[in-house]
Amino acid sequence: MKIVEELDYKPNLIASALASRKTTKLAILIPRSISEESYWIKPLSGINNALQNYIQYGIEVKFFLFDFFNNKSFEEEGEKLLEWVPQGVIIAPLFYKESINLIGQLKNLSIPYLFIDTNIQDQEQLSFIGQDSFQSGYLSAKLLDICIPSSCSVLIINFSHRIDNPNHLHQREEGFRTYFEQNDPEHKKKLIPLALEDKEDEEFIENLSTLLAESKTIHGIFVTNSKVYRIARLLEKKDLRGIRLIGYDLLPKNTEFLKKGVIDFLINQRPEEQGYNALTTLFDHVVGRKTVEAINFTPIDIITKENIDYQKVF
Amino acid sequence: MKIVEELDYKPNLIASALASRKTTKLAILIPRSISEESYWIKPLSGINNALQNYIQYGIEVKFFLFDFFNNKSFEEEGEKLLEWVPQGVIIAPLFYKESINLIGQLKNLSIPYLFIDTNIQDQEQLSFIGQDSFQSGYLSAKLLDICIPSSCSVLIINFSHRIDNPNHLHQREEGFRTYFEQNDPEHKKKLIPLALEDKEDEEFIENLSTLLAESKTIHGIFVTNSKVYRIARLLEKKDLRGIRLIGYDLLPKNTEFLKKGVIDFLINQRPEEQGYNALTTLFDHVVGRKTVEAINFTPIDIITKENIDYQKVF
DNA sequence: CTGAAAGCGCTTACAG
DNA sequence: CTGAAAGCGCTTACAG
């Protein structure tokens, strides 16, 4: 080792990869995408993109895709994953209990894992790759705040798609509220929370539309997830102007309304980049034996119709 | 070739790199950074960062750094570059005439080159990597527009640092003006252009300060480059409130005023990423023999004090 | 011009 | 346990 240091010897990774020709198996446990327009297609394509860089190094990646709404499906795919015996795992731990169970087993097998999109604190994960949800809500509040009247009402809409909503939706709302507590201590702006079902609840939407039409004081709406296009559709249909709308993610349905001017801001969490970084991080650890960052926060992008066309596509 | 196709043969780049061990020389012609806080340190660090990925492939990178204000220096470094005989070049073509001259010689030698930061149209460059300046100005106007009164005055400040200012400063102003032409046809917002010298022109700054203090109608200032901190310093010193300020680039001096709330928005052009992508693109072309994109527009990031801490650092 | 041999810097099975 | 040999998939100098 003394000589290694004296000569500043650095092993040639290329020669090493060529000689060893071992294949490293990496498993990915994320939600299945229902359509081309689904959110989860983006992390997946980011992972595939990173894979191109490593394919020559004998990396084998296998996707275990579960049903976003079904914890049993998460469990089943987790079982399959364990049977495959990978050397490293990327997990979107959307179901708390089932995730804890799975990573317990991974720990026993000394298989490293990292979290993407959603974090669970202190689980000995190799890394977390995703956005700071609280801060993204805080930023959303600021953006809304600068373009609404100094006294008015603001709706916070939660599309609760299932009982144990991923934690980060609450954190986004918390961040949003915290901004107004700090910057509007006199509560000139009234925050009105609203929980909607994810299914096509026409009746509720109709009620909401009546509410919006009647209440002239509502000048801003914050939707805590990517379902913001549903509210946009309503605003457009009822021709409701003067209401600023902000939500998450560059789904085609959302960007369409952004370009039309119905949605004012979208918060992007760079899902492709999350996928890309997740695979790169796992590779660096498992194959490159490098130390990796324990937390890898994705930038919080502000997207308007003026810069949407310049976002990186993968 | 028929058999190649039948077997879907893909050459093993790793084995190829190991066997050939040829070193590829890539030259970089960009401005020298005066301090750790200079803008041009960022593309440089992005280039070095990308280099880490390729160092095993026998890439040798040499920087030819010229004086930002001095076209002779650009010429001299260009000469040295040609003597070194690289296989590929990255150029920031800040001086038009001198750039045209240099790339003429590169063409004769069949050495591929790509432009970073500033583009010159139709010069057979391999690629351009940088921001759409017009659009970034357009976006800046939109951001200012949503948070200033519906009738007021807006200053457009150009720090002209030399006679032949890089073209993109004009394009930024053009984009800015175009937004207001399209969205304020009645000219309720008055745009006032102002050219300042780059040197510490205390007298002019003093005049500007008087102007701002007297004119109560000025509610927005757009600075077309990274010198926005100089205006911020003035606003802070004179305790001038109610003026929204927007400019370019995440220099330490700028982010400081952003966090204090004196600057409202900064436009980021991801300089590190530009450097990173430039080297990657050049490598892909020269070593990987891949086809590369002719235009690689960097995203136009909107930075506020709420998301500044989540920007990627290289 | 063609084709076989040596070698790039490692890993790993194997002989001693 | 130690150390030399073979081989990973290419490139390139060289013999024919």
Side-chain angles (χ1 to χ4, degrees):
Chain A
M1 290 315 293
K2 211 195 256 173
I3 295 169
V4 160
E5 217 157 292
E6 270 174 37
L7 300 177
D8 192 30
Y9 169 79
K10 298 262 193 296
N12 183 327
L13 280 187
I14 288 184
S16 166
L18 182 62
S20 75
R21 322 187 303 145
K22 62 182 158 209
T23 65
T24 302
K25 289 155 73 180
L26 303 179
I28 323 286
L29 184 64
I30 59 173
R32 185 180 302 117
S33 298
I34 302 110
S35 82
E36 283 295 309
E37 301 195 355
S38 297
Y39 175 81
W40 279 99
I41 211 160
K42 298 182 178 201
L44 189 142
S45 89
I47 289 170
N48 277 326
N49 210 278
L51 181 57
Q52 299 308 313
N53 298 338
Y54 301 132
I55 208 124
Q56 306 259 13
Y57 286 88
I59 295 294
E60 190 183 349
V61 161
K62 192 161 179 176
F63 288 96
F64 297 87
L65 304 174
F66 61 87
D67 178 349
F68 187 89
F69 297 96
N70 183 347
N71 56 338
K72 287 286 162 225
S73 156
F74 182 94
E75 266 184 337
E76 282 164 25
E77 294 300 323
E79 291 296 325
K80 287 188 208 163
L81 183 155
L82 287 167
E83 272 170 38
W84 192 54
V85 198
Q87 278 111 297
V89 185
I90 295 171
I91 308 174
L94 300 188
F95 298 96
Y96 182 80
K97 218 187 68 195
E98 289 77 4
S99 298
I100 295 294
N101 183 18
L102 175 63
I103 63 181
Q105 300 187 63
L106 290 171
K107 266 186 241 175
N108 286 340
L109 297 164
S110 304
I111 300 172
Y113 48 89
L114 62 78
F115 293 150
I116 188 172
D117 185 72
T118 302
N119 200 11
I120 305 180
Q121 300 286 338
D122 303 323
Q123 297 301 319
E124 300 175 35
Q125 60 271 39
L126 180 63
S127 186
F128 165 64
I129 289 161
Q131 206 167 55
D132 183 336
S133 303
F134 179 92
Q135 192 65 21
S136 76
Y138 192 94
L139 171 64
S140 301
K142 153 74 170 263
L143 292 173
L144 217 44
D145 193 34
I146 57 175
C147 55
I148 56 177
S150 57
S151 46
C152 67
S153 301
V154 174
L155 287 187
I156 302 172
I157 298 183
N158 266 299
F159 278 97
S160 42
H161 21 49
R162 59 182 200 224
I163 311 140
D164 65 333
N165 247 335
N167 197 20
H168 57 249
L169 299 197
H170 300 136
Q171 288 172 8
R172 287 171 179 174
E173 180 170 346
E174 266 310 296
F176 192 85
R177 290 179 172 281
T178 302
Y179 175 89
F180 282 105
E181 271 157 36
Q182 291 176 0
N183 293 277
D184 179 31
E186 299 168 38
H187 296 91
K188 286 182 176 173
K189 279 139 189 157
K190 214 179 130 202
L191 306 184
I192 306 169
L194 205 57
L196 296 186
E197 292 284 317
D198 192 24
K199 47 188 181 179
E200 285 296 335
D201 188 347
E202 288 309 332
E203 194 189 343
F204 212 114
I205 290 283
E206 201 52 47
N207 292 347
L208 174 61
S209 122
T210 314
L211 173 73
L212 289 174
E214 283 174 2
S215 165
K216 296 293 175 206
T217 67
I218 294 172
H219 284 282
I221 301 180
F222 173 52
V223 182
T224 60
N225 68 6
S226 61
K227 303 291 175 184
V228 55
Y229 63 87
R230 293 190 55 192
I231 304 301
R233 201 185 280 154
L234 175 69
L235 295 185
E236 188 183 50
K237 197 171 143 202
K238 301 288 172 178
D239 200 28
L240 295 166
R241 319 257 172 146
I243 299 179
R244 301 288 185 161
L245 180 57
I246 180 167
Y248 282 82
D249 299 330
L250 305 183
L251 305 188
K253 284 177 192 162
N254 286 344
T255 58
E256 185 193 320
F257 284 113
L258 186 76
K259 288 184 182 177
K260 279 188 194 169
V262 183
I263 294 176
D264 295 277
F265 297 101
L266 285 171
I267 302 296
N268 181 27
Q269 33 183 345
R270 302 198 195 170
E272 303 90 347
E273 196 172 302
Q274 286 185 21
Y276 188 97
N277 289 344
L279 194 73
T280 302
T281 302
L282 197 56
F283 176 89
D284 281 350
H285 175 79
V286 177
V287 181
R289 289 180 223 119
K290 293 184 203 164
T291 47
V292 301
E293 289 293 323
I295 292 228
N296 187 333
F297 278 132
T298 313
I300 310 174
D301 286 335
I302 304 167
I303 310 300
T304 71
K305 68 175 177 178
E306 289 80 12
N307 68 358
I308 174 79
D309 288 331
Y310 293 86
Q311 286 308 299
K312 233 199 307 201
V313 279
F314 273 76
Chain B
M1 290 318 289
K2 209 196 257 172
I3 293 169
V4 160
E5 217 158 292
E6 270 174 36
L7 299 177
D8 192 29
Y9 169 80
K10 300 261 190 301
N12 184 327
L13 280 188
I14 289 185
S16 165
L18 182 63
S20 73
R21 325 185 302 143
K22 65 180 154 210
T23 65
T24 304
K25 288 155 74 180
L26 303 179
I28 324 286
L29 185 63
I30 58 175
R32 186 180 303 117
S33 298
I34 303 110
S35 82
E36 284 295 310
E37 301 196 354
S38 297
Y39 176 81
W40 280 97
I41 211 161
K42 298 182 178 206
L44 188 143
S45 88
I47 289 170
N48 277 327
N49 209 278
L51 180 58
Q52 298 310 312
N53 299 337
Y54 301 131
I55 208 127
Q56 306 261 9
Y57 287 89
I59 295 296
E60 190 182 351
V61 162
K62 193 162 179 174
F63 289 94
F64 298 87
L65 303 175
F66 60 88
D67 179 349
F68 188 90
F69 299 95
N70 183 347
N71 56 339
K72 287 286 163 230
S73 157
F74 181 96
E75 266 184 338
E76 282 163 26
E77 294 300 322
E79 291 297 326
K80 288 188 207 163
L81 183 155
L82 287 167
E83 273 170 37
W84 192 56
V85 198
Q87 279 110 299
V89 185
I90 296 172
I91 308 174
L94 300 189
F95 298 96
Y96 182 81
K97 218 187 68 195
E98 290 78 4
S99 299
I100 294 294
N101 182 17
L102 175 61
I103 64 182
Q105 299 187 65
L106 290 171
K107 265 185 241 177
N108 287 341
L109 297 164
S110 303
I111 299 173
Y113 48 89
L114 61 79
F115 294 152
I116 188 172
D117 185 73
T118 302
N119 200 12
I120 304 180
Q121 299 286 337
D122 303 324
Q123 297 303 319
E124 301 175 35
Q125 61 270 44
L126 180 63
S127 186
F128 165 64
I129 290 162
Q131 205 168 57
D132 183 335
S133 302
F134 179 91
Q135 192 65 20
S136 78
Y138 192 92
L139 172 63
S140 301
K142 153 74 172 261
L143 292 173
L144 217 44
D145 193 34
I146 58 175
C147 54
I148 56 177
S150 57
S151 50
C152 66
S153 299
V154 173
L155 286 189
I156 302 172
I157 298 184
N158 266 299
F159 277 96
S160 41
H161 21 49
R162 56 181 203 227
I163 311 139
D164 66 334
N165 247 336
N167 197 18
H168 57 247
L169 299 196
H170 300 137
Q171 287 171 9
R172 287 171 179 174
E173 180 169 349
E174 265 311 295
F176 191 85
R177 292 180 171 282
T178 302
Y179 174 89
F180 282 105
E181 271 158 36
Q182 290 176 0
N183 292 276
D184 178 32
E186 298 167 39
H187 296 91
K188 287 183 175 173
K189 279 139 190 157
K190 214 179 132 201
L191 305 185
I192 306 167
L194 204 56
L196 297 187
E197 292 284 318
D198 193 23
K199 49 188 179 177
E200 287 295 332
D201 188 345
E202 288 310 331
E203 193 190 344
F204 211 112
I205 288 284
E206 200 53 46
N207 292 347
L208 174 61
S209 125
T210 315
L211 173 72
L212 288 175
E214 283 173 2
S215 165
K216 297 293 177 206
T217 68
I218 294 172
H219 285 282
I221 301 179
F222 173 53
V223 182
T224 61
N225 68 6
S226 61
K227 304 288 175 188
V228 55
Y229 64 86
R230 292 189 56 190
I231 304 300
R233 202 185 278 155
L234 176 68
L235 294 186
E236 188 184 49
K237 196 171 145 203
K238 302 287 174 183
D239 199 28
L240 295 167
R241 319 259 171 145
I243 298 179
R244 302 287 185 162
L245 180 57
I246 181 166
Y248 282 81
D249 300 331
L250 304 183
L251 305 189
K253 284 178 192 162
N254 286 343
T255 59
E256 185 193 319
F257 284 114
L258 187 74
K259 288 184 183 179
K260 281 188 193 169
V262 183
I263 294 176
D264 295 278
F265 297 101
L266 285 171
I267 302 296
N268 181 27
Q269 32 182 346
R270 301 196 195 173
E272 303 90 348
E273 195 172 304
Q274 286 184 22
Y276 188 96
N277 289 343
L279 194 73
T280 302
T281 301
L282 196 57
F283 176 89
D284 281 351
H285 175 79
V286 176
V287 182
R289 289 180 223 121
K290 293 182 199 165
T291 47
V292 301
E293 290 293 323
I295 292 227
N296 187 334
F297 277 133
T298 312
I300 310 173
D301 286 334
I302 303 167
I303 310 300
T304 71
K305 68 174 175 177
E306 289 80 12
N307 68 359
I308 174 81
D309 287 331
Y310 293 85
Q311 286 309 301
K312 235 200 302 205
V313 280
F314 272 77

